[in-house]
């Protein structure tokens, strides 16, 4: 029941993101096909190549769960209407946690 | 597709015939509930042994007059998350005392088989588990709180059977 | 409280092994995610926005020091040093790795805990009155029946793949603190001619279609309860909708079938049950389980405590905490106290490992080893001697746990929202924090009096916004967060669904709009003794709606 993910046009630059199956960490697919938790290393894909990469990612269920397209700029920074959600996925909650307010 | 019954892999001698096909006149066939109710009276005039395949929305009470001579009831799981078949099985086994084969067919996965067995299924047609996995699934628990079709005494009762 | 015998222990231990196997098959690729998902959910494992989340069951909100310490240990070792108490009296850990969860479950099983059926389309953790066993207004302690229901529903083979999740709540008190009318089944324990029985409500719920439950039966005798529940469950399992997950809860079946026809279906199913099918709970078993819930051995004490009164006179902050966070106990000289997990600017329902350990220690020293979780995401020590309250307060205060706001405007129910949740459309926590800052002045809060603000970050309504006196629902508009205000909801024995006031507000507009609603109430109430919800019901919503949009 994830909120509906926006459909992205083929030419829109996109990254592929997922959850690391063992740890649950947010990961992105790098340009050379590795899963990384370092967002600065994410690959930017478009068109047919992007679809192929996503299909490959879906076949790696034991490694990553529920991969999907995330909108980015050509430079690889988060963009589009899911910016807030994807920023929180990348950086964690927007509020300090695990401490007692004073 | 492998058929596992009473802890063994067995040959499946039955064929399901959908409502648009005519049985060829011989053998062991299962048919839908409406067709079964229509054909059962004519069964002996043809060389066919009839079983029935229930869909999850079928009313198992309709089989009540026929249970004594029904050799096989299949219950279909269109998707493994559709839990209606468990209720149908419990009704057939516990309320109506059906003693023939009760077979789970369709989307049958290893991790549902223990619940299916408790609900009264004794045969499983599954593409997603082999015999050793099914046997492992069936041995995962040693105690159960609720009464079910498998006849295990409940924990509620066992607690008071112990010699103190 | 209940203690496991060898059967309970074996069932939980076997579950740990079973889940360890399932996780290992998931990680080696044997189990596909689609096949694994219902299995992990039935063990409380979600995949949230940036991590797995593990929801641990706290049946009917009952904890003891050993359990709470173990939760603290788990938070420290496998998580990030805190846990989140939920509206169904459970606790969630936000950062546990899937590969570690079998070890966490192993650790929980050592203190008679588990995560069984804390999610998924099955019968969930049974919830109850957090003052059970201590409240003046209960006909009996409801916990024995909660425990019986817990056991009966655990791994029920027929009801593991229901159309949708299924929540049962039990109360035995006139003042419904368990929100039974917004549960799939709500049970109200009644005494009739010396016999115990259950008034059964069915088909309540929140989510995108909020419904107040229908009374199905006035009195089901206790010996028939489980069989009657099975009849309801079977009717739901067979006939509940499975074509649309948003219409799959039992409330939709009851609404679409009609209450009378639904009752007829249940009665027919119940009547058809043969003796061989009945659960036949032995009386000795009912007695055995009840015996675990014998009241603690409370020394007789005078109704007034000199120690307490002296301390109150010396410390206004303590006096306020006593005034706000104390609930009367059935035995003179004792009280139930709420430990607020809603400090101003904090995260509603969160507790750090250090705080959990402090509460465990205090429950041992002053609380007869009894700790409860409330559906409003606070903790309760149900049995504390009045004489011990000053010392208890001092220790709580030192741990940041002495906020005096139980039931007040800053004691909000807040879901994790978009900061954590994969379903959320908007953030809830920062909105709640902003509102808290607006009402941070404790005198102002006390002047406002009892007022429940509930915040959900999406239509699934985990933050109970439909039944908040003031409800706030986060919505997404093209990537921007907006918040819809509703008025007049309540979760108690006068349960009602709030009405949406009008257009949604931006996050910045929310605190001032809430303040205008509340200041309107303070202007219009007959006296400070008239609570917000009664003023609202007396005058209607118009002046309050106008207040919301007065800045337009």
């Amino acid at each position: 029941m994830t909120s509906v993910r926006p459909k992205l046009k083929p030419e829109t630059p996109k990254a592929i993101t997922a959850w690391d199956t063992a740890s649950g960490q947010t990961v992105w697919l790098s340009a050379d096909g590795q899963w990384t938790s370092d967002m600065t290393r994410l690959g930017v894909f478009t068109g047919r190549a992007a679809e192929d990469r996503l299909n490959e990612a879906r076949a790696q269920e034991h490694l990553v769960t529920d991969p999907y397209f995330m909108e980015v700029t050509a430079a690889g920074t988060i963009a589009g209407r899911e910016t807030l959600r994807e920023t929180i996925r990348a950086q964690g909650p927007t509020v300090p946690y695990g401490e007692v307010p004073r | 597709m492998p058929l596992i019954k009473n802890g063994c892999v067995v040959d499946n001698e039955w064929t399901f015939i959908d409502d648009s096909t005519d049985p060829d006149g011989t053998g062991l066939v299962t048919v839908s509930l409406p067709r079964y109710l229509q054909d059962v009276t004519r069964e002996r005039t043809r060389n066919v042994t009839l079983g029935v395949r229930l869909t999850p929305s079928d009313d198992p009470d309709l089989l009540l007059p026929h249970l004594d001579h029904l050799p096989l009831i299949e219950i279909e799981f269109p998707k493994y998350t559709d839990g209606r078949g468990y209720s149908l099985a419990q009704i057939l086994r516990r309320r109506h005392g059906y003693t023939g084969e009760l077979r789970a067919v369709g989307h049958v996965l290893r991790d549902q088989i223990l619940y299916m067995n408790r609900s009264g299924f004794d045969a499983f047609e599954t593409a997603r588990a082999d015999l050793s996995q099914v046997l492992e699934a069936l041995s995962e628990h040693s105690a159960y709180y609720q009464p079910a079709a498998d006849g295990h005494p409940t924990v509620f009762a066992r607690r008071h059977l112990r010699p103190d | 409280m209940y203690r496991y015998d060898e059967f309970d222990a074996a069932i939980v231990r076997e579950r740990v092994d079973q889940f360890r196997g399932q996780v290992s098959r998931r990680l080696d690729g044997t189990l596909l995610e689609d096949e694994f998902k219902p299995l992990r959910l039935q063990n409380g494992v979600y995949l949230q926005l940036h991590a797995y989340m593990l929801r641990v069951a706290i049946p009917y909100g009952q904890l003891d020091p050993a359990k709470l310490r173990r939760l603290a240990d788990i938070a420290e070792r496998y998580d990030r040093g805190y846990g989140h108490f939920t509206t169904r009296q459970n606790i969630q850990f936000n950062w546990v790795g899937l590969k570690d969860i079998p070890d966490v479950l192993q650790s929980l099983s050592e203190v008679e805990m588990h995560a069984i059926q804390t999610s998924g389309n099955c019968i969930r953790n049974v919830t109850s009155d957090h003052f059970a066993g201590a409240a003046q207004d209960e006909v009996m302690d409801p916990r024995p029946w909660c425990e019986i229901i817990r056991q009966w529903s655990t791994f029920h083979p027929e009801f593991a793949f229901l159309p949708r999740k299924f929540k049962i709540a039990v109360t035995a008190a006139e003042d419904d603190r368990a929100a039974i009318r917004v549960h799939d089944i709500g049970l109200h324990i009644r005494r009739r001619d010396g016999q115990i029985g259950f008034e059964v409500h069915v088909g309540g719920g929140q989510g995108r279609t909020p419904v107040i439950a229908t009374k199905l039966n006035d009195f089901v005798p206790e010996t028939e309860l489980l069989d009657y529940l099975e009849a309801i469950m079977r009717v739901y399992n067979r006939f509940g909708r499975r074509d649309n997950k948003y219409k799959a809860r039992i409330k939709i079946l009851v609404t679409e079938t009609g209450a009378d026809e639904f009752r007829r279906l249940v009665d027919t199913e119940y009547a058809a049950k043969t003796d061989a099918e009945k659960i036949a709970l032995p009386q000795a078993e009912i007695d055995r389980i009840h015996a675990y819930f014998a009241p603690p051995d409370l020394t007789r004490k005078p109704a007034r405590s000199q120690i307490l009164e002296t301390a109150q006179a010396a410390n206004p902050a303590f006096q306020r905490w006593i005034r706000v966070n104390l609930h009367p106990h059935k035995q003179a000289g004792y009280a139930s106290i709420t430990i607020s997990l809603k400090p101003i600017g904090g995260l509603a329902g969160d507790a750090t490992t250090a705080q959990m350990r402090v509460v465990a220690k205090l429950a041992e020293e002053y609380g007869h080893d009894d700790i409860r979780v409330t559906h409003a995401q606070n903790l309760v020590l149900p049995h504390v001697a009045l004489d011990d309250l000053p010392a208890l307060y001092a220790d709580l205060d030192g741990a940041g746990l002495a906020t005096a706001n139980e039931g007040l405007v800053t004691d909000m129910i807040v879901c994790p929202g978009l900061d954590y949740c994969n379903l959320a459309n908007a953030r809830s926590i920062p909105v709640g924090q902003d509102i808290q800052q607006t009402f941070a002045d404790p005198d102002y809060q006390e002047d406002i009096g009892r007022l429940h603000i509930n915040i959900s970050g999406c239509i699934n309504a985990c933050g109970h916004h439909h039944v908040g006196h003031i409800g706030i629902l986060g919505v997404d508009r093209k990537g921007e967060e907006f918040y819809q205000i509703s008025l007049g909801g309540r979760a108690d024995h006068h349960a009602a669904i709030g009405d949406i006031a009008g257009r949604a507000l931006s996050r910045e507009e929310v605190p001032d709009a809430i303040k205008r609603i509340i200041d309107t109430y303070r202007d219009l109430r007959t006296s400070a003794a008239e609570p917000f919800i009664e003023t609202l019901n007396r005058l209607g919503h118009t002046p309050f709606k106008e207040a919301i949009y007065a800045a337009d």
Side-chain angles (χ1 to χ4, degrees):
Chain A
M1 217 163 27
T2 308
S3 67
V4 181
R5 291 171 182 157
K7 275 227 178 321
L8 302 180
K9 290 181 180 148
E11 64 274 21
T12 304
K14 45 188 81 85
I16 294 170
T17 184
W19 290 261
D20 178 82
T21 297
S23 71
Q25 266 193 332
T26 304
V27 289
W28 298 269
L29 190 67
S30 67
D32 62 356
Q34 304 295 309
W35 291 104
T36 175
S37 56
D38 175 1
M39 205 181 110
T40 63
R41 291 186 52 216
L42 65 75
V44 180
F45 308 99
T46 54
R48 192 56 216 245
E51 294 290 340
D52 291 345
R53 291 295 187 113
L54 183 61
N55 286 331
E56 286 168 29
R58 286 189 176 134
Q60 301 174 26
E61 274 213 351
H62 58 296
L63 288 180
V64 295
T65 298
D66 194 18
Y68 65 94
F69 286 141
M70 161 184 138
E71 188 174 347
V72 290
T73 63
T77 55
I78 299 169
R81 58 160 285 181
E82 297 294 294
T83 296
L84 177 60
R85 176 188 308 274
E86 291 302 339
T87 304
I88 294 172
R89 279 190 77 237
Q91 297 174 3
T94 62
V95 286
Y97 55 84
E99 50 192 73
V100 181
R102 278 288 154 193
Chain B
M1 198 179 296
L3 175 66
I4 294 167
K5 185 179 173 186
N6 296 328
C8 302
V9 178
V10 297
D11 288 336
N12 184 7
E13 299 172 320
W14 292 80
T15 312
F16 172 68
I17 309 281
D18 71 39
D19 287 357
S20 61
T21 316
D22 237 359
D24 58 10
T26 55
L28 303 169
V29 298
T30 53
V31 294
S32 71
L33 178 64
R35 180 145 172 192
Y36 176 82
L37 295 173
Q38 189 189 319
D39 284 7
V40 65
T41 50
R42 298 187 303 222
E43 180 182 17
R44 278 169 192 80
T45 67
R46 299 145 61 171
N47 289 322
V48 172
T49 304
L50 275 187
V52 64
R53 174 174 291 195
L54 299 181
T55 65
S57 59
D58 283 336
D59 179 359
D61 293 356
L62 297 176
L63 287 174
L64 204 43
H66 312 293
L67 289 176
D68 285 346
H69 48 267
L70 245 178
L72 172 66
I73 301 175
E74 295 175 326
I75 296 179
E76 193 186 346
F77 288 80
K79 169 93 178 134
Y80 74 102
T81 48
D82 186 332
R84 287 175 289 179
Y86 300 93
S87 286
L88 301 192
Q90 292 255 28
I91 290 168
L92 287 165
R93 287 288 196 219
R94 303 186 66 214
R95 180 159 303 161
H96 299 329
Y98 172 66
T99 55
E101 179 178 338
L102 191 55
R103 185 185 292 185
V105 302
H107 200 194
V108 177
L109 305 179
R110 176 210 182 280
D111 294 282
Q112 279 69 46
I113 281 174
L114 177 59
Y115 285 148
M116 287 177 174
N117 184 246
R118 291 216 67 214
S119 298
F121 291 96
D122 55 359
F124 312 94
E125 196 177 278
T126 170
R128 290 288 292 140
D130 62 22
L131 179 63
S132 69
Q133 291 165 331
V134 169
L135 294 178
E136 185 183 56
L138 290 174
S139 66
E140 282 174 338
H141 278 296
S142 65
Y144 308 99
Y145 289 115
Q146 328 67 13
D150 58 0
H152 283 294
T154 65
V155 166
F156 294 134
R158 285 171 73 183
R159 285 175 172 142
H160 302 277
L161 295 174
R162 289 173 294 173
D164 277 327
Chain C
M1 61 181 284
Y2 188 72
R3 303 307 310 244
Y4 284 6
D5 69 358
E6 69 263 36
F7 295 109
D8 303 302
I11 287 169
V12 168
R13 201 171 52 238
E14 288 161 0
R15 171 55 149 197
V16 175
D17 294 341
Q18 182 185 46
F19 194 67
R20 193 180 291 281
Q22 290 168 350
V23 168
S24 132
R25 282 184 282 133
R26 173 73 186 96
L27 293 176
D28 73 15
T30 316
L31 259 181
L32 304 174
E33 173 63 10
D34 183 49
E35 297 170 340
F36 179 60
K37 192 174 176 183
L39 305 177
R40 66 167 162 80
L41 289 175
Q42 298 213 5
N43 220 18
V45 182
Y46 286 74
L47 189 51
Q48 290 290 32
L49 211 49
H50 27 49
Y52 287 100
M53 182 198 89
L54 175 65
R55 182 181 294 152
V56 175
I58 303 177
Y60 37 97
Q62 176 77 64
L63 283 173
D64 66 18
K67 291 181 166 68
L68 189 53
R69 282 204 181 92
R70 185 56 61 96
L71 293 172
D73 294 346
I74 288 167
E76 191 169 69
R77 174 148 181 214
Y78 298 100
D79 206 87
R80 296 190 179 176
Y82 69 107
H84 175 73
F85 290 98
T86 77
T87 56
R88 299 207 76 256
Q89 302 178 301
N90 291 318
I91 187 169
Q92 295 173 178
F93 295 112
N94 292 298
W95 305 96
V96 193
L98 180 62
K99 59 186 177 359
D100 293 329
I101 287 177
D103 293 338
V104 174
L105 298 176
Q106 173 72 43
S107 177
L108 288 168
S109 72
E110 292 162 11
V111 291
E112 304 179 8
M113 295 187 82
H114 59 74
I116 296 164
Q117 291 170 209
T118 53
S119 179
N121 294 337
C122 52
I123 303 174
R124 302 284 190 90
N125 181 42
V126 57
T127 56
S128 191
D129 184 345
H130 45 265
F131 295 131
Q136 291 177 337
D137 60 345
E138 66 185 15
V139 301
M140 66 169 282
D141 185 340
R143 291 175 299 163
W145 282 103
C146 293
E147 177 58 29
I148 290 168
I149 293 167
R150 180 193 78 80
Q151 295 190 17
W152 159 78
S153 62
T154 295
F155 302 139
H156 198 302
E158 190 177 339
F159 306 128
F161 295 94
L162 297 168
R164 199 74 179 83
K165 59 186 168 183
F166 204 93
K167 301 174 179 178
I168 301 177
V170 188
T171 187
E174 247 352 278
D175 185 5
D176 174 13
R177 289 173 288 263
I180 67 163
R181 284 163 186 80
V182 285
H183 277 78
D184 296 288
I185 290 180
L187 300 173
H188 193 138
I189 300 182
R190 302 283 189 191
R191 193 184 291 277
R192 185 190 273 182
D193 305 327
Q195 201 190 6
I196 291 292
F198 295 81
E199 183 181 288
V200 179
H201 300 258
V202 69
Q206 301 193 57
R208 62 186 65 207
T209 316
V211 181
I212 301 296
T214 301
K215 187 160 76 171
L216 196 64
N217 198 313
D218 282 321
F219 194 85
V220 176
E222 57 178 355
T223 50
E224 295 173 39
L225 176 70
L226 296 184
D227 288 315
Y228 190 79
L229 292 179
E230 276 198 353
I232 299 174
M233 298 309 303
R234 182 173 283 174
V235 168
Y236 172 55
N237 190 40
R238 288 189 62 195
F239 304 116
R241 285 182 62 173
R242 292 174 184 267
D243 59 323
N244 178 341
K245 73 184 297 185
Y246 302 118
K247 297 189 184 298
R249 295 285 292 270
I250 195 173
K251 61 193 173 191
I252 304 294
L253 178 65
V254 174
T255 308
E256 289 184 351
T257 313
D260 290 337
E261 174 62 9
F262 183 81
R263 186 180 293 110
R264 193 192 66 76
L265 288 170
V266 171
D267 288 348
T268 304
E269 170 57 36
Y270 184 64
K273 211 170 202 195
T274 61
D275 283 347
E277 290 176 271
K278 290 199 170 152
I279 293 174
L281 203 55
Q283 186 58 46
E285 177 62 3
I286 298 176
D287 295 343
R288 186 191 76 92
I289 290 179
H290 277 68
Y292 283 107
F293 297 93
D297 189 14
L298 302 180
T299 322
R300 289 178 68 85
K301 287 179 180 289
R304 290 179 62 178
S305 159
Q306 195 57 51
I307 300 171
L308 171 62
E309 287 174 15
T310 307
Q312 278 183 288
N315 182 350
F318 174 61
Q319 189 170 39
R320 181 191 306 279
W321 182 78
I322 291 291
R323 216 164 41 230
V324 175
N325 286 32
L326 180 145
H327 192 84
H329 196 280
K330 61 168 77 164
Q331 184 162 331
Y334 291 83
S336 301
I337 68 104
T338 298
I339 299 171
S340 170
L341 298 179
K342 317 289 178 63
I344 305 298
L347 279 75
D350 279 16
T352 65
T353 51
Q355 289 179 321
M356 290 186 226
R357 286 173 181 144
V358 166
V359 173
K361 176 178 87 77
L362 295 175
E364 274 168 355
E365 283 181 38
Y366 307 115
H368 297 266
D369 293 344
D370 198 337
I371 306 155
R372 311 288 174 80
V373 183
T374 81
H375 92 271
Q377 305 177 280
N378 292 314
L379 299 178
V380 159
L381 300 184
H383 318 287
V384 183
L386 298 181
D387 293 343
D388 291 333
L389 289 170
L392 174 70
Y393 174 80
D395 284 352
L396 287 174
D397 196 28
L401 289 167
T403 310
N405 63 352
E406 195 278 317
L408 301 183
V409 61
T410 57
D411 181 12
M412 290 174 276
I413 293 177
V414 184
C415 79
L418 190 56
D419 282 299
Y420 288 97
C421 178
N422 206 15
L423 308 179
N425 291 316
R427 283 173 291 172
S428 303
I429 297 167
V431 179
Q433 290 174 337
D434 290 349
I435 295 170
Q436 279 191 318
Q437 297 296 355
T438 305
F439 298 99
D441 176 358
D443 287 329
Y444 188 22
Q445 286 188 57
E446 256 201 281
D447 177 77
I448 296 164
R450 293 200 78 77
L451 202 170
H452 300 312
I453 299 182
N454 294 350
I455 310 177
S456 303
C458 79
I459 193 66
N460 294 303
C462 297
H464 293 194
H465 66 277
H466 295 300
V467 293
H469 298 162
I470 299 174
I472 301 175
L473 167 66
V475 295
D476 168 84
R477 297 263 170 83
K478 296 182 180 153
E480 264 195 82
E481 299 163 297
F482 281 86
Y483 296 89
Q484 208 168 57
I485 312 288
S486 57
L487 295 169
R490 56 199 294 181
D492 60 7
H493 46 296
H494 300 298
I497 306 298
D499 286 331
I500 296 168
R503 73 164 177 88
L505 306 176
S506 70
R507 187 178 142 197
E508 294 68 32
E509 290 177 295
V510 171
D512 285 344
I514 302 295
K515 186 170 186 322
R516 287 193 299 274
I517 296 172
I518 288 174
D519 288 341
T520 301
Y521 151 68
R522 290 168 78 227
D523 289 342
L524 297 177
R525 64 187 175 188
T526 52
S527 75
E530 184 180 57
F532 172 82
I533 190 69
E534 286 176 22
T535 308
L536 184 83
N537 288 340
R538 178 170 59 80
L539 295 174
H541 294 188
T542 309
F544 302 94
K545 284 184 190 172
E546 286 169 3
I548 295 173
Y549 303 105
D552 286 1

